[in-house]
Amino acid sequence: MPTTAITASDNLIVVPLENKVLLPSVVLKIHMQGKDAVALTRKHLRSNEQRKPTYVACIPLINNDSNSKGTVDEESTKDEGFLRPDERGRLFEYGCTARIIRIQRSGLGAFTMFVEGISRFKVQSYNQQDGSPLYVKIKPMFDDEDNNDKSDEMIRFKALVREFLTKMKELRMPDNLIQQLTKLIDSVSSPVLADLLVSVIETSFDEKLTMLATTSLKERVEKASEWMTRQLHVLKISEQVHSSIEGKLSKKQREFYLRQQLEAIKKELGEVDGSNGEREEDDLEQLSNKIAAAELSEEASIVAQRELKRLKKLQPVSSEYAVARNYLELLADLPWNKKTEDVIDISQAKQKLEGDHFGLDHVKKRIIEYLSVIKIKGDLKAPIVCFVGPPGVGKTSLGKSIALSLGREFHRISLGGVRDEAEMRGHRRTYVGAMPGLIIQGLRKCKVNNPLFLLDEIDKLVQSSHYGDPAAAMLEILDPEQNNSFTDHYVNLPFDLSNILFIATANSVESIPEPLLDRMELITLNGYTFEEKLHIAKSHLLPKQLLTHGLVQGQVKMADDVILKLAENYTRESGVRSLERTIASIVRAKCVELANFRELGKEADYNPTVSLPDVEDILGMAFYEKEVAEREPLPGVVTGLAYSGSGNGGILFIESTKMPGHGDLRLTGSLGDVIKESAHLALAWVKSHAYALKVVPKEGDNLVEKWDVHIHVPSGAVPKDGPSAGVTLVTSLVSLFSGYHVPTTTAMTGEISLRGQVLPVGGIKEKAVSAHRAGIQKIILPFRNRKDVEQDVPEKVKEDIKFVYAKNIWDVLEAALIINEREKWNNTSRIYESHL
């Protein structure tokens, strides 16, 4: 080293080092900026052009809190530039002269300088002129002993260095560092080697300052040996930890090597930080207690304990840990043996059902039957019921009322549009993001194993898609003989669903597969009649809308005729949803009226009553016109009864006329195939019985030989179909050809056979109510529909309307047509169908 190039009389520019110590023979990188950096760079360039070295004095800064970090990371510690005026007192009394190797630009006004340590020195004095860097006058420090590499201390030191390098090789340290140190052992002296190794091994800032200030070669080697021994001991411990962990690792566990090594090092040092580990242990202990308290079945308990043991061996950061933990938490949350006690109070259940819903007696009767059997027997498999009816008749709200009357938890599962079988049975846990099915999720939410599950819109299930058939998956769920061991794909354990009260809802049964339909008890909910809608509107809908709009009882009053007008002329539905929206529109209009009176201070002038003219002012003209019975009786015009299929009935008129022709039959009025066939059937029967009906002069004459017949059903834009107009068509044709008329207050419905039998039809309740609304006083029905009248038709309707029951078409004609006694047909001429 060219130590002789620097003398005590030289003044050197001071380069302060923050958290760094430069030792002789060590290369250090220093970041600098500012005008002093520019001046030093220019000086170096001038000296470099003259092929002269540039020397500086590198002095560490002391007395700073940052020194307390213990060890120095020379790559991550922030490098400081030249000295600020207030930092001169922090300069250490010893330093190291350095030769500038090179300077390169690292930014605007910033430079990176590489220096090599030359020799130690002690500070004598500082001097600085205005605008110039700080200079120092140094006193070089030379070793006070001869450098003898063959002394015992030096031999032991180099042996220690070789052992240190061997451990570095075993621990797979960087090869280039090991190769450089191996070359230096034989090529440099022990003092230089000591300074180099102190810069390489882990030493604190204070230890490096001590090394810089020590002039005795022997002491420096001893200190280097002490710190090398300490570092070697750390490497040996790392090797032990590495070997002990390496034997325990499998291929799947190697990714956790670093974390296990860190824990082993902390255990060796006695520094156990239980913040994460103890928390995980506490969580697992809580999960274990939760599983024990869940009262799992024997099979589920075995699986849970096996999964729990496996979970304890996994690392929390692994994906398998999250899957296993979620599975165990689901098992612990499921209500294996938890249930709510049924409230077996029949009178209270009746009161609750009557208070929530008007009508629907057959539904309420079925629930009361179920409760009664439970009260007597003490146990009964829950029925699986399916409510079938048009939208808006209260299927879903009825399910809620049943749950409240039984004291059970209520959970609704919407099946509309479900197309994946896994939605019912769950996903297998091998898939990413696997979840249990809707049934298991509902049980987890209810926390009891005997809730009421409402399977809403079961007829909207997608069938036979490429995702599977969810309707087929429902077969096991809704089978009372199989659902006591339902196995979800995610849980993969049998679970008892037999305690669940399943109630399904559907708008029609046509789209429900036959096997699934066979497992359910069908209860049909017909549409509400106008009387029922009137009662529902007065007792439920109007009070609800008053509360919703912030009004009190009495601030909006509607008479029965007003509500009936809303139901008849402004809505046409089976339920009450549109009626509720229409009532809400009127309530809002009255709110506007009340608010205006309040602003004018004339609230006393507000009229809460809604009249019929008010309805038209608020809602506009009526959307639907009510059909009324015609008052002028004409031959060939007969009143029939129709059922729309959505809970609404109505009356229709069948008009027939004849004209000269060749016996053709024309049908108009948007008629379907079934009603066209009924018309041909009616004409055939009339032609075959023309002589008995006294409409031809002699037996065997063709009734329509010279006539064409035209049958029309008004409201031609409305499609019409169905067999129930058969008797009406026959009566219309007989009236046309005989000249006898049918009173306008008489209506009829029924299907006919070719031999004149009157067959039963549906929708009797709705037809009777609509006829009553239209002013009909007499209704002719098939004899086999008598039970429907007695069971379903309201008492008010039965009091006002006379019901006539006909077994054949002759009974219908006698009850319908106005005929003189002497002109009546001879009973002996009738031909009956034989049932023998």
Side-chain angles (χ1 to χ4, degrees), residues 253-304:
Q253 295 172 325
R254 289 188 182 277
E255 58 181 295
F256 312 117
Y257 166 75
L258 293 176
R259 186 176 296 279
Q260 292 187 11
Q261 187 181 38
L262 178 61
E263 293 176 359
I265 292 173
K266 288 184 177 181
K267 185 175 181 180
E268 185 74 22
L269 297 174
E271 299 176 359
V272 179
D273 182 10
S275 58
N276 291 327
E278 291 179 2
R279 185 170 63 249
E280 287 296 334
E281 291 179 3
D282 291 343
D283 291 346
L284 292 180
E285 186 67 25
Q286 291 177 5
L287 183 58
S288 177
N289 295 336
K290 194 175 178 182
I291 292 173
E295 301 180 6
L296 275 67
S297 63
E298 183 178 355
E299 183 178 357
S301 180
I302 294 173
V303 173

Side-chain angles (χ1 to χ4, degrees), residues 425-597:
R425 289 187 170 275
H427 303 78
R428 301 192 185 276
R429 282 185 291 147
T430 53
Y431 298 113
V432 176
M435 293 178 64
L438 293 173
I439 303 298
I440 296 298
Q441 291 183 39
L443 286 168
R444 185 181 192 180
K445 183 178 180 181
C446 291
K447 300 180 181 178
V448 289
N449 62 3
N450 64 338
L452 188 149
F453 273 13
L454 183 74
L455 306 177
D456 213 3
E457 309 291 354
I458 197 171
D459 58 327
K460 309 300 190 302
L461 273 175
V462 178
Q463 299 176 30
S464 302
S465 69
H466 63 279
Y467 294 101
D469 191 349
M474 293 292 295
L475 295 177
E476 180 186 3
I477 297 172
L478 297 182
D479 192 337
E481 302 301 326
Q482 299 180 26
N483 63 7
N484 58 353
S485 58
F486 171 72
T487 301
D488 185 274
H489 287 162
Y490 184 87
V491 178
N492 204 25
L493 290 168
F495 195 93
D496 187 5
L497 304 181
S498 61
N499 295 320
I500 300 176
L501 176 56
F502 287 103
I503 295 181
T505 68
N507 296 130
S508 63
V509 296
E510 284 77 11
S511 59
I512 303 177
E514 281 296 330
L516 183 58
L517 198 61
D518 182 62
R519 285 162 166 77
M520 298 184 293
E521 177 182 349
L522 294 182
I523 297 180
T524 303
L525 277 67
N526 295 316
Y528 295 115
T529 64
F530 289 124
E531 280 75 12
E532 291 171 338
K533 290 183 179 182
L534 173 62
H535 186 279
I536 293 170
K538 291 168 62 177
S539 60
H540 295 285
L541 303 182
L542 183 56
K544 178 183 176 183
Q545 291 303 321
L546 291 176
L547 181 63
T548 303
H549 293 84
L551 301 177
V552 297
Q553 193 73 24
Q555 287 188 317
V556 176
K557 298 178 181 179
M558 293 187 190
D560 291 356
D561 57 344
V562 174
I563 297 178
L564 286 175
K565 184 175 180 62
L566 296 180
E568 294 173 359
N569 300 119
Y570 289 91
T571 64
R572 182 163 289 180
E573 58 171 351
S574 54
V576 292
R577 287 177 181 160
S578 295
L579 180 60
E580 183 176 6
R581 288 192 287 266
T582 306
I583 292 175
S585 299
I586 292 181
V587 172
R588 287 195 298 271
K590 298 301 288 184
C591 282
V592 174
E593 184 180 342
L594 179 60
N596 291 335
F597 277 115

Side-chain angles (χ1 to χ4, degrees), residues 670-685:
S670 298
L671 305 183
D673 292 336
V674 177
I675 198 169
K676 287 180 179 179
E677 291 177 356
S678 296
H680 286 283
L681 189 65
L683 182 59
W685 187 89

